[in-house]
Amino acid sequence: MCDIKSSCDKDVILNILSVLTDLLSLGTGRRIHYVISKGGSEALLQALATAARTEPLDHSTLLPLLRLLARVGQRDRKFGLKVQKAEATDIILSLTRRNLDHHLPLTHCLWVLRVCASNVTTGTMLGINGAMELLFKVITPYSKRHVRTVRAAIGALAALLKSRSNSRRAVNRGYLGGLLRLYQDWHHHDVSNNYIYIRRGLLLCLKYITNIQLGRETFLGSKGMEILFTSVQDCLSCKNLDPIITTATQILRKCYPKEHLPVVTVRSSYSFPLPGNAKAEPQCEGSEGDYESDGEEEAEKDLDNEDGESKEEDYDLETDVNKLRSRPVLDRPEEDLGQYEAMCPELSLNFQELELESEEEKSLKDRTENLPSAPFHFIPSATSAKHPNCRWRNQSVTEMGPDPEEQDFKVPLQSWRKKKECRWDQNDEKKDIAEAAQDTDSCENEDAARSRVLELRPLPKDAAWYKKLFYPHCEASIDPSPGGRLESSDTVRNLLEKHQEDVLFHSPHLYTARAKCVKSIPGYRDLAFPDFWGHQPPPHSKPMLERKQGVQREKVLDDVRRLIQPGDVIGRTVFDLDEPSSRSSPAQAPGCLTFFSKFESGNLRKAIQVREFEYDLIMNADVNSNQHHQWFYFEVRDMKLAVPYRFNIINCEKFNSQFNYGMQPVMYSVKEALQGRARWIRAGHDICYYKNHYHCRAAAAGGMRGKFYYTLTFSIKFPHKDDVCYLAYHYPYTYSTMMSHLDILEQNRNPKKVYWRQQTLCQTLGGNPCPLLTITAMPESKKGDDLEQFCNRPYVFLTARVHPGESNASWVMKGTLEFLVSSDPIADLLRKCFIFKIVPMLNPDGVINGNYRCSLSGDDLNRQWLTPNSQLHPTIYHAKGLLYYLRSIGRAPLVFCDYHGHSQKKNVFLYGCSIKETLWQAGCMVDTAVITEDVGYRTLPKILDKVAPAFVMNSCSFLVEKSRESTARVVVWKEMGVLRSYTMESTYCSCSHGLYKGLQLGTQELEEMGSKFCLGLLILHLKSVPCSKEVMAQAALLLDLEEEITDRAQRRCSNSSLESDDEPPCVEDIDYNTDSISDCEEDFSELDQEIQESLSWVEGEREDEGVTTGKTCSSRALKGLYISNQPAPNSTALPLGSTALGLYNGFKSSPV
Ligand SMILES: [Zn+2]
């Protein structure tokens, strides 16, 4: 290395260069890095300076030197600096200039130029000194002569244009238009696609130049969109051209003019006046202005992610040991806790003085007499469902025999209908106003006029279609007018009588009764059919959708086509929540779909027909907010048969989605339901989720930075013509659905065994009761011991649905509740072990009004647990109050769990809290002597991993993040001292492991998770709480734990355990953002290959140019020399036999 710097002897230099070249070409990058670490770059630069001074230029030294510089330089991160230090920019530029007419050395200079320019400062300096002008001379006008040189020049130009100042200079000199024309020339002339690298190189130049706003504007002004779009169309049919299409598409996306969403304001259409002056005025929508600057391409982060997400960001971890330590404090006066005593009636009940049965029956009667009674439902327990690991349960049931009491209680299925009508009639007469007023769950004090207007959404138009199917004998009862809507209550009643059996565990009567009491901001008058009629899970789970190759590209190009060919865009608003008049007569828009969403949990704001069968949809923001769009639920009707309709939800906010990884939205067809298939199913194809060109000003977004939007696009072929269908993000589960399910559970439980108490935790801001349930086993007897056991059972506290868009959490909760109330012997045992306190819906208002994340106050309620406001966050305030109360009487729960849904991950998993794991993860020194921690928080997830097919321990985390300090999990852990305080996250999509791998989860699997959670609690109890012999014996009978565990472990082993949490690779590179940096141009191999390819050409041209090679040691000869000096590759190891023998002998002979 020293030699090459100092030596003036040409032969010495040549030989050194040859050796270096061969050394580096044989090895991998490691050798080059070694050379760099030994000052190789500096030495080569100095040699270059020396060589450039030689007059005339000696190409035999220069060329290998330049090649080496290019290869070494591109791997040297500080090469740019070294070039500046060596003042080599001028040398390289002047060498380039001097060789303009000698293509071989010119090409070599261009490679080095390109490598130098990879440092922005050096690139800028080169730009100032006229490098781009030089390069433009080389690449224009279009010519196929000297393509290697052109290629090298384009590579260098692209590198230079990474500098913003170079880009600005290039635009000002009109190079952008020149590049576009050149690109067109190459595109047109390269018919047989021999010069893909040149075409892509030009696109890269355009890509960098359009990183600045001036570039984008000039690009648009030069018809860049049209030119690239047209050229991409020509390329689509040829698969080799993917690199061109990808880069062109990136440019098109980036340059697509930014627009605001086509809504008057991004604030929610609904607002809710908050009590007092509780909240600052909502941010106004800042003035029109330059919302875009050159600096906007900051890396984007999903700021609004789920609980526990982005935990990989270690700086978010709480490292203050004092903060991590449990410190019981009260956020309210202690005397305020007294009110919660009433929420624990189980602790004050004196069963000895009461006739057990009559008390319970009276309670049941009080509670339900003013509601229609439900049909008898066998309360299913999801553990009894289809899964193989449930076999043991059925066996044990038969062993134990049926419960005699249970049979007494069961009402024959056939008799329910008559009974119902009778009870329904009695309803009005038997009102006990006083009781009703006391019972806040009752609807009796509701405004009667409002109740009356609630109607089921009109059924499908073509009456004849189902008249024939369902009413062959009673056509008279049906509206005879053709096409007339069947909405009379008679029709509905007829339908119900005929088809209610289709849906188990649901009662439209109860649903309607409950829905009438609901207080919503829009004042809903309609019942969505699926919620009314019910959902019965399909018999089979659906596999994840395979992503179609190139689907994102196709959709993005469709979007670009709208801009370039606006002629075929209809652009008609067909539904507008803000201006209901425009959603008027379908006559205005013949052949157009009719949309609707003004029902519980519905949230469509606007629908715009784009093309005949394509609609842009905008979701409403959360009430009192201007964001949180992800959830959707709406009705669509008047569809044609066998036509794929495309829907684009254009204001999604999350930066990635499981919709890119096999998830489908859900659809419900009324006609299917009426034919006995009442169910939400996964539907839709051509699904993808990507960043679009809509944008929200920072001021309007209420944040520091402007917001970008994402499009979820999917196509659906509806199963019937003129049907009424519903589409949703995930299986809807409304507040009224929950309330009516609670009614059914209460009416159908066995009161002799199941202690059930439904109270109201509090009224929500919107005036809806938030139910609180207490479930446990009735005491065995009225004997003192049994009553004591009853009162002393440990508590389990469960909550769900604090985030309204996470309807999966409600389905899991449904599974939990049904299991807890069921006659399953395990449930029986579980009830004897615990008292369950359950708040099944912490955010009723959000669910009712179609929010995704917040409550009516516009707050994320799962960020309010630290200091909940009794006015603004009543459900959190009182749930926390009840927990405080339990702690104050020494009965803090054994387990707390808040059920959530996770939109970006697969599997079901828990987030828990651990001081040690947090400190370890954060890299803090942990003094284990000082911090002792019970590792009991890991037991439950470990059990669930074994018993619940959807649950995956590997996805769990026990880190405490600063950003989560106000979530239920962390607050209950810290302030209540609950070791086992969890968030349970359920995927919307699928599992990466186990039984459900590759299948999209349905409600059945979610409910099963809820019941398996209960089973997990029982096992936890057996493991951690001292149990009576009796309990242990029963448990032993019911749970063959060993068998269960090995069974599950075996199943797990059959699946590869090597899977990671990462998403599987997609067929198509998913590019969510327009400013992707995932280009291959950073790949060293590209330039290496270019240099390598040109070597043969170098040899050839050397002769052409008359450079004699005779004097120098040819590189081939040297290569041979080098190799011959080394031991032959296979001689490094002795023949195996002799080695083994030698070793063996050595062993034998060596002294011990
Ligand atoms: Zn959540």
Side-chain angles (χ1 to χ4, degrees):
M1 216 55 82
C2 288
D3 287 348
I4 201 168
K5 268 198 261 182
S6 54
S7 177
C8 299
D9 181 345
K10 186 183 156 191
D11 283 351
V12 174
I13 291 182
L14 278 175
N15 277 322
I16 296 169
L17 286 176
S18 288
V19 171
L20 270 177
T21 303
D22 291 328
L23 260 173
L24 300 187
S25 68
L26 279 175
T28 54
R30 266 179 61 195
R31 285 188 185 171
I32 296 183
H33 286 295
Y34 182 77
V35 168
I36 292 167
S37 71
K38 295 292 170 194
S41 304
E42 290 90 339
L44 290 170
L45 284 167
Q46 201 161 335
L48 180 72
T50 315
R53 276 195 298 270
T54 326
E55 282 295 343
L57 285 175
D58 177 7
H59 284 127
S60 63
T61 333
L62 206 52
L63 296 191
L65 187 56
L66 288 168
R67 281 200 296 275
L68 270 174
L69 263 172
R71 295 201 59 212
V72 172
Q74 68 171 331
R75 286 176 176 81
D76 185 350
R77 286 176 156 195
K78 294 185 177 149
F79 191 68
L81 281 175
K82 292 173 185 171
V83 169
Q84 286 169 46
K85 238 185 197 166
E87 294 174 347
T89 44
D90 287 345
I91 300 171
I92 293 158
L93 263 183
S94 75
L95 269 179
T96 313
R97 277 204 186 92
R98 282 170 71 188
N99 284 301
L100 265 182
D101 297 322
H102 305 94
H103 286 97
L104 181 64
L106 175 61
T107 309
H108 283 65
C109 291
L110 293 173
W111 290 332
V112 176
L113 203 60
R114 167 175 166 178
V115 171
C116 293
S118 61
N119 173 289
V120 176
T121 323
T122 318
T124 307
M125 204 139 69
L126 286 166
I128 291 168
N129 291 327
M132 288 191 296
E133 290 78 353
L134 206 61
L135 293 172
F136 240 77
K137 267 187 213 156
V138 178
I139 61 175
T140 51
Y142 164 79
S143 155
K144 266 189 192 166
R145 292 189 63 218
H146 311 298
V147 281
R148 289 172 198 280
T149 314
V150 171
R151 179 184 184 179
I154 290 172
L157 184 60
L160 283 168
L161 288 171
K162 284 184 184 172
S163 140
R164 287 171 178 272
S165 91
N166 282 349
S167 281
R168 210 163 291 125
R169 178 173 293 108
V171 175
N172 288 333
R173 292 186 179 232
Y175 291 165
L176 201 155
L179 283 169
L180 271 172
R181 277 189 299 278
L182 191 62
Y183 172 74
Q184 272 181 301
D185 286 339
W186 278 101
H187 176 75
H188 289 137
H189 287 102
D190 185 20
V191 184
S192 37
N193 297 327
N194 291 326
Y195 302 104
I196 296 174
Y197 48 85
I198 288 192
R199 289 154 67 187
R200 176 154 183 276
L202 287 167
L203 287 174
L204 284 176
C205 292
L206 288 167
K207 184 179 159 177
Y208 297 130
I209 218 170
T210 49
N211 276 341
I212 59 167
Q213 190 176 356
L214 179 66
R216 290 191 290 274
E217 283 166 4
T218 314
F219 179 83
L220 289 173
S222 318
K223 298 254 168 229
M225 295 294 280
E226 290 83 346
I227 291 169
L228 290 202
F229 180 78
T230 318
S231 79
V232 165
Q233 297 304 313
D234 299 339
C235 297
L236 282 174
S237 57
C238 180
K239 226 190 153 195
N240 310 344
L241 300 180
D242 271 3
I244 290 184
I245 301 168
T246 305
T247 311
T249 311
Q250 282 169 354
I251 300 168
L252 289 169
R253 288 177 76 182
K254 183 165 53 182
C255 296
Y256 201 119
K258 296 271 180 289
E259 279 182 69
H260 299 302
L261 285 173
V263 281
V264 190
T265 161
V266 291
R267 274 199 79 74
S268 174
S269 303
Y270 303 146
S271 68
F272 178 78
L274 295 173
N277 290 326
K279 202 104 190 263
E281 267 299 289
Q283 307 87 349
C284 60
E285 295 226 9
S287 58
E288 209 52 58
D290 183 18
Y291 54 85
E292 203 180 4
S293 72
D294 283 358
E296 75 172 316
E297 289 93 4
E298 56 186 292
E300 251 194 284
K301 246 181 64 188
D302 192 13
L303 294 177
D304 176 37
N305 48 20
E306 302 288 327
D307 299 64
E309 233 173 287
S310 73
K311 60 186 159 55
E312 58 278 1
E313 291 164 19
D314 289 351
Y315 61 81
D316 187 30
L317 294 176
E318 183 58 79
T319 51
D320 183 341
V321 179
N322 292 324
K323 280 194 175 175
L324 284 168
R325 277 206 169 129
S326 168
R327 46 174 180 113
V329 282
L330 267 186
D331 65 359
R332 64 196 85 193
E334 196 161 354
E335 54 270 26
D336 284 8
L337 299 184
Q339 60 177 304
Y340 299 106
E341 192 184 341
M343 290 185 195
C344 299
E346 67 278 5
L347 295 180
S348 53
L349 264 188
N350 186 345
F351 286 92
Q352 255 163 334
E353 286 170 15
L354 290 164
E355 252 319 289
L356 212 63
E357 282 94 300
S358 65
E359 191 272 340
E360 269 303 302
E361 273 160 19
K362 184 169 159 285
S363 144
L364 171 66
K365 222 168 118 196
D366 286 353
R367 166 155 292 290
T368 54
E369 69 178 312
N370 45 25
L371 282 171
S373 92
F376 170 73
H377 297 279
F378 168 69
I379 297 174
S381 73
T383 37
S384 61
K386 57 187 178 180
H387 309 299
N389 58 329
C390 304
R391 251 174 293 123
W392 55 270
R393 200 199 60 89
N394 295 334
Q395 283 163 5
S396 62
V397 170
T398 41
E399 273 167 38
M400 292 188 70
D403 188 326
E405 284 181 341
E406 225 171 274
Q407 288 189 327
D408 293 343
F409 181 68
K410 274 184 185 168
V411 183
L413 191 65
Q414 294 82 351
S415 69
W416 77 268
R417 218 173 286 128
K418 262 186 196 162
K419 214 176 158 193
K420 168 213 78 193
E421 292 196 346
C422 150
R423 287 253 207 128
W424 187 259
D425 293 335
Q426 287 167 355
N427 221 8
D428 291 344
E429 300 159 15
K430 287 175 76 182
K431 261 187 277 177
D432 184 333
I433 306 292
E435 284 284 320
Q438 230 175 14
D439 181 358
T440 40
D441 293 341
S442 154
C443 313
E444 295 308 313
N445 44 11
E446 272 301 308
D447 174 45
R450 214 176 93 180
S451 304
R452 234 178 282 124
V453 296
L454 200 67
E455 276 191 61
L456 180 64
R457 294 286 301 146
L459 293 168
K461 263 189 205 166
D462 50 346
W465 178 79
Y466 59 95
K467 224 188 283 181
K468 252 189 261 163
L469 268 164
F470 300 114
Y471 300 99
H473 312 300
C474 51
E475 295 201 12
S477 70
I478 289 170
D479 180 359
S481 68
R485 293 196 166 184
L486 297 166
E487 46 199 316
S488 75
S489 55
D490 278 354
T491 312
V492 172
R493 193 174 301 165
N494 288 341
L495 279 173
L496 282 175
E497 286 217 9
K498 211 109 181 143
H499 302 291
Q500 177 52 103
E501 303 94 275
D502 292 349
V503 179
L504 296 172
F505 204 78
H506 183 79
S507 158
H509 292 298
L510 285 176
Y511 186 85
T512 311
R514 284 300 184 175
K516 275 181 186 170
C517 311
V518 163
K519 287 179 181 157
S520 62
I521 310 282
Y524 295 132
R525 295 164 180 217
D526 294 82
L527 290 177
F529 190 88
D531 303 315
F532 168 80
W533 193 253
H535 155 78
Q536 187 75 359
H540 303 290
S541 327
K542 210 170 168 190
M544 290 199 288
L545 189 73
E546 207 169 296
R547 191 178 163 102
K548 207 175 97 185
Q549 168 78 29
V551 60
Q552 177 181 296
R553 163 192 300 173
E554 194 184 295
K555 302 300 173 190
V556 167
L557 290 175
D558 270 353
D559 287 353
V560 176
R561 187 175 288 117
R562 288 196 210 177
L563 181 77
I564 292 172
Q565 298 160 1
D568 70 336
V569 174
I570 298 171
R572 174 171 48 205
T573 301
V574 295
F575 173 81
D576 193 342
L577 202 58
D578 302 309
E579 289 173 61
S581 55
S582 64
R583 178 228 147 215
S584 54
S585 55
Q588 263 187 329
C592 162
L593 291 177
T594 309
F595 291 85
F596 188 76
S597 84
K598 230 172 168 180
F599 45 74
E600 237 182 281
S601 294
N603 71 337
L604 181 64
R605 181 174 200 164
K606 193 168 184 176
I608 302 162
Q609 187 179 20
V610 180
R611 301 184 178 100
E612 190 179 0
F613 299 112
E614 181 180 351
Y615 296 84
D616 277 356
L617 306 177
I618 297 173
M619 297 302 124
N620 193 17
D622 282 8
V623 177
N624 279 10
S625 144
N626 49 23
Q627 52 181 343
H628 307 298
H629 317 91
Q630 203 74 15
W631 166 259
F632 59 87
Y633 182 19
F634 58 88
E635 177 197 279
V636 61
R637 55 176 72 219
D638 300 326
M639 62 282 290
K640 290 180 176 150
L641 190 63
V643 184
Y645 284 90
R646 179 174 163 194
F647 299 98
N648 311 307
I649 296 178
I650 60 171
N651 62 340
C652 299
E653 286 176 58
K654 297 233 169 199
F655 103 118
N656 196 357
S657 164
Q658 283 291 326
F659 284 120
N660 275 329
Y661 302 98
M663 183 166 89
Q664 294 172 288
V666 294
M667 181 193 73
Y668 190 107
S669 151
V670 171
K671 283 190 177 179
E672 284 289 299
L674 295 177
Q675 285 179 313
R677 293 177 293 275
R679 59 187 62 139
W680 286 100
I681 53 164
R682 299 277 187 172
H685 55 275
D686 280 8
I687 301 172
C688 87
Y689 187 93
Y690 60 92
K691 191 175 174 185
N692 60 33
H693 68 284
Y694 291 106
H695 175 98
C696 176
R697 279 185 307 273
M704 296 300 287
R705 64 196 173 97
K707 202 201 321 252
F708 299 94
Y709 291 108
Y710 296 79
T711 292
L712 162 66
T713 178
F714 58 92
S715 297
I716 278 195
K717 269 187 198 168
F718 293 103
H720 301 280
K721 173 177 171 287
D722 288 326
D723 196 357
V724 178
C725 287
Y726 293 81
L727 294 170
Y729 179 69
H730 193 72
Y731 307 95
Y733 193 94
T734 64
Y735 172 71
S736 299
T737 300
M738 177 197 66
M739 293 304 276
S740 64
H741 284 176
L742 295 185
D743 293 336
I744 294 172
L745 283 172
E746 174 157 29
Q747 290 179 25
N748 289 278
R749 82 197 198 286
N750 181 344
K752 291 182 179 133
K753 293 196 145 197
V754 183
Y755 177 96
W756 164 289
R757 190 54 54 101
Q758 179 176 339
Q759 292 170 292
T760 297
L761 178 69
C762 61
Q763 296 287 317
T764 65
L765 265 184
N768 295 293
C770 174
L772 166 72
L773 305 171
T774 308
I775 303 172
T776 186
M778 292 298 280
E780 292 280 286
S781 74
K782 281 161 262 174
K783 281 188 239 147
D785 282 359
D786 285 331
L787 289 182
E788 204 185 313
Q789 194 276 336
F790 175 87
C791 289
N792 288 328
R793 293 168 188 164
Y795 278 94
V796 167
F797 204 110
L798 305 176
T799 58
R801 205 76 187 278
V802 71
H803 293 143
E806 296 167 2
S807 60
N808 37 5
S810 277
W811 289 99
V812 177
M813 182 52 88
K814 178 172 184 272
T816 293
L817 290 173
E818 285 173 16
F819 182 80
L820 284 181
V821 174
S822 74
S823 56
D824 187 304
I826 294 176
D828 203 34
L829 186 56
L830 184 61
R831 286 190 297 263
K832 288 175 190 159
C833 294
F834 291 112
I835 300 171
F836 288 88
K837 285 279 174 203
I838 301 176
V839 185
M841 194 174 277
L842 273 171
N843 189 355
D845 292 341
V847 172
I848 291 165
N849 293 292
N851 284 7
Y852 175 65
R853 185 109 184 147
C854 298
S855 71
L856 291 190
S857 64
D859 293 317
D860 179 342
L861 290 182
N862 203 30
R863 294 292 184 277
Q864 310 302 330
W865 279 78
L866 217 44
T867 48
N869 180 304
S870 61
Q871 295 283 299
L872 290 176
H873 322 117
T875 60
I876 306 302
Y877 182 83
H878 292 292
K880 193 178 176 187
L882 178 56
L883 281 158
Y884 272 138
Y885 174 73
L886 289 174
R887 196 200 69 188
S888 74
I889 57 167
R891 302 292 298 273
L894 182 77
V895 174
F896 172 86
C897 188
D898 189 20
Y899 293 8
H900 283 248
H902 203 297
S903 72
Q904 295 189 28
K905 290 190 176 171
K906 296 204 164 68
N907 308 319
V908 180
F909 52 95
L910 290 181
Y911 288 126
C913 303
S914 157
I915 300 181
K916 280 190 182 170
E917 294 195 30
T918 305
L919 293 176
W920 276 327
Q921 181 69 34
C924 296
M925 294 296 288
V926 184
D927 186 348
T928 34
V930 176
I931 302 160
T932 53
E933 188 176 47
D934 184 343
V935 291
Y937 62 87
R938 279 189 162 260
T939 317
L940 182 61
K942 275 187 196 161
I943 295 168
L944 292 175
D945 187 66
K946 294 194 171 82
V947 301
F951 194 91
V952 173
M953 178 73 184
N954 281 345
S955 301
C956 297
S957 163
F958 305 95
L959 306 179
V960 181
E961 304 89 345
K962 287 180 205 152
S963 60
R964 316 286 173 215
E965 66 168 3
S966 200
T967 60
R969 161 181 65 109
V970 176
V971 169
V972 173
W973 172 68
K974 249 193 250 178
E975 296 191 23
M976 313 298 158
V978 176
L979 172 71
R980 298 175 184 87
S981 176
Y982 303 106
T983 299
M984 181 155 74
E985 298 276 3
S986 299
T987 178
Y988 290 85
C989 180
S990 172
C991 292
S992 62
H993 295 64
L995 200 59
Y996 302 141
K997 187 180 172 183
L999 297 174
Q1000 296 186 75
L1001 294 196
T1003 56
Q1004 191 163 341
E1005 289 77 21
L1006 292 168
E1007 289 187 46
E1008 181 202 50
M1009 186 60 232
S1011 68
K1012 293 290 187 184
F1013 185 82
C1014 297
L1015 175 60
L1017 288 173
L1018 180 63
I1019 299 174
L1020 174 74
H1021 185 275
L1022 299 175
K1023 286 189 166 195
S1024 54
V1025 181
C1027 298
S1028 70
K1029 271 186 185 168
E1030 198 190 338
V1031 169
M1032 287 308 276
Q1034 280 189 51
L1037 198 64
L1038 288 173
L1039 311 166
D1040 192 339
L1041 288 180
E1042 290 303 313
E1043 186 194 320
E1044 165 77 2
I1045 286 164
T1046 37
D1047 182 37
R1048 175 108 179 106
Q1050 275 165 1
R1051 228 173 329 115
R1052 186 151 292 225
C1053 288
S1054 65
N1055 295 305
S1056 160
S1057 55
L1058 290 170
E1059 295 141 310
S1060 69
D1061 284 345
D1062 296 334
E1063 289 301 343
C1066 252
V1067 198
E1068 176 181 21
D1069 271 346
I1070 295 175
D1071 182 17
Y1072 315 102
N1073 296 307
T1074 47
D1075 31 47
S1076 159
I1077 49 151
S1078 63
D1079 298 315
C1080 328
E1081 86 266 23
E1082 294 300 332
D1083 189 357
F1084 302 135
S1085 62
E1086 197 182 302
L1087 183 58
D1088 282 348
Q1089 200 190 339
E1090 201 176 323
I1091 295 169
Q1092 198 63 41
E1093 276 172 18
S1094 63
L1095 271 179
S1096 54
W1097 169 57
V1098 172
E1099 310 248 327
E1101 276 195 36
R1102 256 183 210 169
E1103 276 143 34
D1104 294 347
E1105 296 187 10
V1107 181
T1108 48
T1109 54
K1111 274 188 186 173
T1112 63
C1113 183
S1114 92
S1115 68
R1116 248 176 241 124
L1118 236 162
K1119 197 182 284 181
L1121 182 72
Y1122 170 73
I1123 289 172
S1124 66
N1125 284 343
Q1126 299 284 323
N1130 56 358
S1131 69
T1132 50
L1134 290 166
L1136 186 66
S1138 66
T1139 315
L1141 193 67
L1143 249 163
Y1144 181 68
N1145 288 339
F1147 258 109
K1148 236 182 170 179
S1149 59
S1150 66
V1152 184

